[in-house]
Amino acid sequence: MNPTKAPTRRKTVQKERQGLAQKGVVTSQSKSQANAGITPEGILRSDSLRTKHVQSAKPSAKAGDSVSQTSMPLAAKAFVGYSLSKPVGSPQVATKIGPKPPLKELVEAIARPANVRVPTQKVRLGSGPEWVVPKSDEEIIALLEARHNVDIMNAKLLEEITSTKIRLNALEASTSWRITAPLRSSVMALRALKNQPRALISGPKKIWRELEGELRVRSVQTPAVAPVLKMPLNDRQKNNPLFVGIGDGDIASIRLGLQLPLEAIAKERAGTSKIYYEGDLPAFEEIKNAEVVFFKRTYMTPTVELAKAVAAANIPIVYMIDDDFWSIPPKSPLGQRFRELNAFNNIAAQVKMADHTVIWSPAVRKRLEALTNRISKFRGPSNAEIFDSLPPPAAIKAEETRIGYAGGITHADDLLLLREPILRLLSERPTLIFESIGLEISWLEGHPQYRHFKGKPKLEEFYSLLLSRSWAVAVAPLVNNKFNLGKSDNKFREYSGAGLPGVYSRMPVYSDSVVDLVDGVLAENTPAAWYKSIADLLDNPKKREIIAQNAKMMARTVLSEASTLKQYVEVIRKVKRKPYILAIGPQSLPTFRIDIHAPFSILEAKGELDWGCINTEHATKADIDRADAIVVVRAVEPIALGLVEYARARGKAVIYSWDDNWLKFPKDGSPLSSFIWRKENQLALKQILQNSHVVKASTIEIYKESLRHNPLVVMYPYGFDLSLKEKIKRVPKSKNGVRIGYFGTPGRDNQFDFVLDALKQVQDSHPEVEIEFFGFVPERARELKNVKAIAYREDYEGSVRQFLSRNWDIGLAPLAQFAFNRAKLPTKYRDYAAGECAGIYTNITCYQNVVTHGKTGLLCENTPDDWANAILELIKKPEMRVEIAKAALDHLKAELSADHAAGWWRDTLHLALTKAASTIRD
């Protein structure tokens, strides 16, 4: 956000206060993503050397766009993985939990347009009752016990299985029950449902029908767009993350603004925090594994050298400063010390090195804007949680009223603003007592109505003393000078935490925070104004009570520890480096370009990750060491297994992505078949599947196969990069008839005879029909008339663009009916939809899942007559061709684009990174 366009603090606070007022807080006044024919070389090696991808896709969706309602979010994948697993022991079912139908609750939780009808179908698993979305850890335990016929009695096991730090493998040692793949899947599924219930049920109806025999799911669709997980990829929990803070000394500012927040963040993330001071800096080796290093108020040359080492190690740096040191009088002892130590240049050097700078006042922002534009203004905490943990103050003497000030000795000049009004008030009110904590006020020394208390070194002790004095009014004068303009509203936060009504100098430090006469009083820096403001509160107990209540509420909401920590968490998210993803596989294959290059380029353009790609045989340990995650694509050889095992040993996330079921490849004696069916390759593939943190499947059949080897499988289709359609010059439509084409790769003769027979029948009655073969030309093509051959191109993007320019009326997509093909992707459906031609497809699983017969394409049995009839129907019905082409293109844009694939990849990467971190902790 541009700081100059940000709302002022005062407006923000006023809105917050208005929200509080609506909640019943008393106020004194209104404020207002094509599968190519491959060879053994295509799997093992490529002519391409190790390379970073060259071009980036042009994302057409904006950041934050959600995926379509037919996407499969991760919680749904975990849910399916669980359901396909067979229960352990005798069949038992989960009983209902809660008084309301869980699906109804789920549907109610899904964000949807108001005009969409809520479905009423029920979701059932096996013979059990409705699925239950667990609302608590206790419900997770109950479901696990019922589904797997186990008794989870051990309290430690209960804690481990329900904790975010899941240690599944360790549970096998238990004598009461044994951890199994189905149970392992159940745990992940249930936790996913608990954490992301609105993403439970999603996906194309055809996909759910394919799974129906095993899931008994009755084709349920979400009523609206299902959200992808929007969590940034760099916001993931690592094993015992270290957060380091370095301050200028053991002072309150470091305790409040560094030590306490980092301790809270480390506790929340199961990590560690360490605080050091400039006088005793750590060696770089001590902090080289830090997630983030915070430097606060540091200004010495050795600190700058340490910051340089931190930056060189690519560790994020946050610099924090809460005082305008530049405004310290140059002839003062502190001013002279700063100049002797080259403090101002050292501060500037740290700000320039920092990934982000945090300030507490607009004045300090102005000082630093010439050095960086990465600045955030924080508001400090009230530490109300500490105040609330202290015993309440004892009752004071009925005959006296106390007003007071708490602050350090550097504020003597500020207190001079109160000399005249305080002396007058004390003389007029014999029972009035003025007290100070910390600073001893010289002009009140010896006064019978003045009490002084020494400051306390420990924060809790200081707060206890402040609370115990039960001041009717607390004062916070501040001279309006350059140095003070750089300060924070510390006194307002402290007094509000203690529940005290305060009077503050009307200057930006306080007027940007305090809402006058609501949670404090603002006084002009004149004796008369201060006298009137204090006297008015002393004479109006009800007004004091209202202001104290509002200040106390402000301290426990807007200025609470949780609210304050959000600022630190957000800065950590901003500065943590983007994860580096290494894709390993055959870069020359179209599938690699489609499923890796396009979506990863979109995520890179959005600033969510950095990535590179390399052929399997070229990858080294050093490449893996650099990466946060590796994505192994289609590899089956032992060398790939070695990379996977090394990556896991180094704590890297591992994803295996495949789009052909190599475990069911036809044994046809071809070189590729012989390669795939080598014993060492089959064994390596199975072990790769088992050792991956996540397996990414592209079709239902591959999804089912994957689940036999790994319980954590996600499934979603490849997306089409719609940017390839841009600036395409299309050839004119045929003047004499219809142009029919086939877009594919060489080596398809064994599944094309019935289509050639059909085309011959069509040309017997329609000799004017033009036929084009792009990439593959069947041997019998010479039997046809008006045939044009377009050579196969190795360049995927260039090939697609040339295909899109051909302007076909009808696209053909025959596929032989055998098990291996049933697991294939519906690649040609996406191509033909993008080419805006009506497609005819074999009635096989991969096309059944995406084609709506008669609407987005035609499905045919593999007989000459069936194909001839379908082609003739589209020739005779031009309106039908146009309608099918339009509907298919709309479907592609709505559900099968590369932008959708990028969102699904984001989810998968986040899941794998989180899973890898959990494995390290185990």
Side-chain angles (χ1 to χ4, degrees):
M1 178 182 291
N2 186 333
T4 62
K5 295 183 179 180
T8 64
R9 173 69 190 130
R10 179 173 180 82
K11 291 181 179 179
T12 303
V13 171
Q14 287 175 338
K15 290 181 179 179
E16 291 166 339
R17 306 302 158 69
Q18 291 169 0
L20 296 177
Q22 293 173 1
K23 296 178 181 179
V25 180
V26 181
T27 60
S28 61
Q29 62 184 35
S30 298
K31 296 284 179 184
S32 320
Q33 136 168 156
N35 200 4
I38 59 176
T39 65
E41 291 76 14
I43 297 177
L44 284 171
R45 64 185 60 86
S46 166
D47 293 335
S48 303
L49 298 176
R50 184 179 313 171
T51 178
K52 178 77 167 74
H53 54 289
V54 176
Q55 67 183 98
S56 296
K58 300 177 181 178
S60 59
K62 297 178 180 179
D65 287 354
S66 55
V67 299
S68 77
Q69 66 186 39
T70 58
S71 65
M72 265 198 165
L74 292 178
K77 317 302 189 306
F79 160 70
V80 175
Y82 159 58
S83 305
L84 289 178
S85 302
K86 297 180 180 178
V88 177
S90 58
Q92 294 191 11
V93 296
T95 56
K96 285 188 180 181
I97 296 178
K100 296 176 68 177
L103 182 61
K104 184 175 184 295
E105 295 182 57
L106 173 64
V107 169
E108 289 175 351
I110 296 176
R112 61 182 182 272
N115 62 344
V116 179
R117 182 174 60 86
V118 176
T120 58
Q121 297 97 325
K122 305 294 184 181
V123 178
R124 297 181 179 275
L125 298 181
S127 58
E130 295 179 4
W131 180 247
V132 177
V133 178
K135 303 298 189 300
S136 67
D137 289 339
E138 289 73 17
E139 294 183 8
I140 289 180
I141 292 296
L143 286 166
L144 289 172
E145 289 179 329
R147 186 68 179 171
H148 296 279
N149 191 28
V150 296
D151 293 320
I152 304 176
M153 305 293 291
N154 187 292
K156 183 178 180 182
L157 299 183
L158 276 170
E159 180 180 354
E160 288 174 344
I161 204 166
T162 59
S163 168
T164 54
K165 296 180 288 186
I166 296 174
R167 296 174 60 242
L168 297 174
N169 293 328
L171 301 182
E172 294 193 20
S174 170
T175 57
S176 61
W177 53 284
R178 175 175 167 272
I179 191 70
T180 61
L183 183 56
R184 189 187 307 267
S185 295
S186 295
V187 174
M188 289 184 289
L190 290 167
R191 293 206 65 80
L193 296 184
K194 177 188 172 189
N195 296 329
Q196 191 77 3
R198 67 178 58 191
L200 168 61
I201 304 168
S202 183
K205 290 185 177 182
K206 293 178 179 296
I207 291 181
W208 288 99
R209 289 195 187 108
E210 185 67 22
L211 297 171
E212 188 174 283
E214 295 171 82
L215 286 179
R216 301 192 182 185
V217 173
R218 300 308 177 195
S219 303
V220 177
Q221 275 188 288
T222 52
V225 173
V228 297
L229 298 179
K230 292 298 182 184
M231 184 144 337
L233 290 176
N234 65 347
D235 185 31
R236 62 187 188 279
Q237 188 174 0
K238 289 186 177 180
N239 181 42
N240 190 26
L242 172 62
F243 302 93
V244 173
I246 300 175
D248 63 334
D250 187 5
I251 60 177
S253 176
I254 301 304
R255 176 78 192 280
L256 294 172
L258 203 58
Q259 182 177 343
L260 293 179
L262 295 192
E263 286 177 353
I265 292 170
K267 182 179 179 180
E268 176 68 22
R269 301 206 176 185
T272 305
S273 67
K274 292 183 179 180
I275 301 296
Y276 302 91
Y277 304 114
E278 278 196 296
D280 188 18
L281 288 174
F284 173 71
E285 289 297 312
E286 296 180 51
I287 62 174
K288 66 179 182 179
N289 294 319
E291 286 281 283
V292 183
V293 178
F294 290 80
F295 294 85
K296 185 171 184 183
R297 297 168 53 95
T298 51
Y299 54 86
M300 296 183 180
T301 301
T303 310
V304 176
E305 297 305 314
L306 179 60
K308 289 179 180 178
V310 172
N314 202 24
I315 301 172
I317 293 176
V318 177
Y319 188 78
M320 314 177 83
I321 184 167
D322 57 2
D323 272 328
D324 186 2
F325 291 151
W326 295 266
S327 295
I328 297 175
K331 294 184 180 181
S332 68
L334 186 57
Q336 292 179 17
R337 175 175 170 78
F338 271 29
R339 279 158 179 79
E340 291 170 0
L341 296 175
N342 196 28
F344 304 117
N345 288 334
N346 288 338
I347 292 173
Q350 292 175 84
V351 170
K352 290 178 180 179
M353 276 189 283
D355 298 271
H356 209 80
T357 298
V358 173
I359 50 89
W360 277 262
S361 70
V364 178
R365 180 194 291 276
K366 290 181 179 179
R367 291 280 187 188
L368 302 181
E369 282 178 337
L371 302 175
T372 180
N373 61 357
R374 301 184 299 273
I375 302 177
S376 290
K377 181 180 180 296
F378 272 18
R379 58 189 176 210
S382 66
N383 295 308
E385 295 80 8
I386 299 179
F387 283 106
D388 292 342
S389 70
L390 300 173
I396 67 172
K397 297 178 181 179
E399 65 272 15
E400 73 177 32
T401 302
R402 304 172 185 167
I403 62 177
Y405 172 83
I409 60 174
T410 60
H411 291 280
D413 290 344
D414 297 320
L415 265 295
L416 284 173
L417 290 169
L418 301 186
R419 180 171 182 170
E420 181 180 330
I422 292 299
L423 290 174
R424 178 182 173 185
L425 287 166
L426 293 177
S427 66
E428 295 173 349
R429 305 169 187 246
T431 62
L432 181 65
I433 304 296
F434 188 88
E435 299 181 341
S436 67
I437 300 175
L439 171 66
E440 187 171 10
I441 304 173
S442 61
W443 46 268
L444 280 175
E445 188 176 356
H447 196 291
Q449 291 169 257
Y450 171 62
R451 298 173 187 155
H452 170 251
F453 302 87
K454 291 183 178 181
K456 300 292 183 178
K458 293 185 178 180
L459 190 66
E460 291 80 0
E461 293 177 351
F462 166 66
Y463 283 175
S464 182
L465 175 59
L466 175 62
L467 198 62
S468 71
R469 302 318 300 158
S470 298
W471 293 340
V473 179
V475 295
L478 205 59
V479 176
N480 195 341
N481 58 35
K482 288 184 177 181
F483 181 72
N484 282 346
L485 286 172
K487 286 190 169 294
S488 70
D489 58 349
N490 182 47
K491 293 290 182 291
F492 170 64
R493 292 181 278 108
E494 284 185 344
Y495 293 163
S496 297
L500 300 174
V503 182
Y504 310 89
S505 288
R506 188 184 291 275
M507 55 180 295
V509 172
Y510 290 121
S511 59
D512 286 348
S513 300
V514 179
V515 178
D516 192 22
L517 301 177
V518 175
D519 48 21
V521 176
L522 295 173
E524 299 291 345
N525 277 348
T526 65
W530 272 97
Y531 175 85
K532 179 181 179 182
S533 297
I534 298 173
D536 183 52
L537 288 183
L538 291 174
D539 295 335
N540 292 279
K542 186 62 177 178
K543 180 182 289 188
R544 291 205 311 266
E545 181 183 355
I546 291 173
I547 290 176
Q549 287 179 5
N550 290 337
K552 190 173 183 178
M553 179 63 71
M554 178 67 176
R556 283 146 185 81
T557 53
V558 177
L559 301 176
S560 68
E561 178 183 330
S563 179
T564 303
L565 285 179
K566 289 180 181 179
Q567 302 171 115
Y568 289 80
V569 172
E570 184 60 32
V571 164
I572 290 173
R573 286 179 177 173
K574 287 179 179 179
V575 303
K576 286 175 68 177
R577 66 178 180 83
K578 294 175 287 186
Y580 176 70
I581 313 300
L582 179 63
I584 302 174
Q587 302 172 56
S588 62
L589 290 185
T591 50
F592 194 97
R593 304 291 298 178
I594 296 167
D595 188 43
I596 300 296
H597 191 281
F600 280 28
S601 295
I602 290 173
L603 291 174
E604 181 183 49
K606 290 182 178 181
E608 299 197 39
L609 55 77
D610 290 320
W611 74 283
C613 52
I614 192 172
N615 289 344
T616 309
E617 70 277 14
H618 294 149
T620 67
K621 291 181 178 180
D623 295 318
I624 294 176
D625 285 338
R626 180 190 170 197
D628 295 286
I630 67 169
V631 180
V632 181
V633 183
R634 295 168 58 93
V636 301
E637 59 271 35
I639 187 176
L641 174 60
L643 297 172
V644 168
E645 291 176 336
Y646 178 79
R648 283 197 64 122
R650 299 291 289 175
K652 312 298 182 180
V654 179
I655 302 170
Y656 184 69
S657 177
W658 58 333
D659 60 345
D660 276 318
N661 189 349
W662 304 125
L663 298 175
K664 291 185 179 179
F665 196 81
K667 295 182 179 182
D668 54 14
S670 65
L672 178 57
S673 178
S674 299
F675 172 79
I676 294 295
W677 284 102
R678 289 178 188 171
K679 290 183 179 180
E680 62 270 25
N681 289 342
Q682 287 283 297
L683 180 60
L685 173 57
K686 292 176 182 179
Q687 292 181 342
I688 291 171
L689 290 166
Q690 294 166 7
N691 281 281
S692 297
H693 291 105
V694 180
V695 176
K696 185 249 178 187
S698 55
T699 65
I700 295 167
E701 296 298 326
I702 296 177
Y703 178 83
K704 293 178 183 179
E705 185 66 56
S706 300
L707 281 173
R708 298 186 178 98
H709 308 278
N710 193 309
L712 191 50
V713 183
V714 298
M715 178 189 74
Y716 45 86
Y718 288 8
F720 187 91
D721 184 359
L722 288 165
S723 69
L724 296 175
K725 286 179 61 67
E726 297 175 2
K727 299 179 181 179
I728 294 295
K729 185 177 181 180
R730 309 188 79 187
V731 301
K733 287 284 187 181
S734 172
K735 296 181 179 180
N736 300 320
V738 173
R739 186 177 296 139
I740 303 174
Y742 174 82
F743 181 44
T745 53
R748 306 286 176 171
D749 284 281
N750 61 340
Q751 52 189 338
F752 220 84
D753 282 344
F754 56 88
V755 176
L756 285 167
D757 290 338
L759 288 171
K760 289 176 65 178
Q761 291 185 37
V762 169
Q763 285 195 328
D764 286 343
S765 58
H766 293 78
E768 75 283 359
V769 167
E770 299 177 7
I771 301 173
E772 294 187 352
F773 292 100
F774 193 134
F776 160 67
V777 182
E779 294 180 2
R780 293 177 52 199
R782 59 183 178 274
E783 299 175 14
L784 301 172
K785 306 170 185 177
N786 297 331
V787 174
K788 181 174 183 177
I790 303 172
Y792 174 71
R793 296 180 57 164
E794 295 287 348
D795 170 28
Y796 168 72
E797 284 81 6
S799 180
V800 171
R801 287 181 176 274
Q802 186 174 359
F803 153 70
L804 294 173
S805 71
R806 297 312 302 166
N807 210 3
W808 292 349
D809 298 289
I810 301 172
L812 308 178
L815 202 58
Q817 289 273 16
F818 53 82
F820 180 73
N821 278 354
R822 284 194 289 272
K824 280 188 169 295
L825 281 161
T827 302
K828 288 180 180 54
Y829 174 74
R830 294 180 292 101
D831 294 339
Y832 293 161
E836 301 178 43
C837 58
I840 305 177
Y841 310 89
T842 293
N843 188 20
I844 191 173
T845 304
C846 69
Y847 290 126
Q848 292 168 354
N849 290 331
V850 294
V851 177
T852 300
H853 181 69
K855 181 178 180 181
T856 60
L858 297 182
L859 296 171
C860 296
E861 301 302 326
N862 283 347
T863 65
D865 288 343
D866 236 28
W867 276 82
N869 290 337
I871 296 171
L872 287 170
E873 182 177 15
L874 291 179
I875 291 175
K876 296 175 181 177
K877 299 178 179 178
E879 317 85 23
M880 184 179 186
R881 294 200 307 267
V882 172
E883 290 174 359
I884 287 177
K886 182 181 182 304
L889 179 60
D890 291 343
H891 181 206
L892 175 66
K893 291 179 178 178
E895 302 177 8
L896 300 172
S897 73
D899 292 289
H900 290 94
W904 298 324
W905 262 114
R906 178 200 295 114
D907 291 354
T908 304
L909 290 166
H910 193 282
L911 178 63
L913 289 163
T914 304
K915 179 65 176 173
S918 175
T919 303
I920 294 174
R921 291 192 294 273
D922 294 343

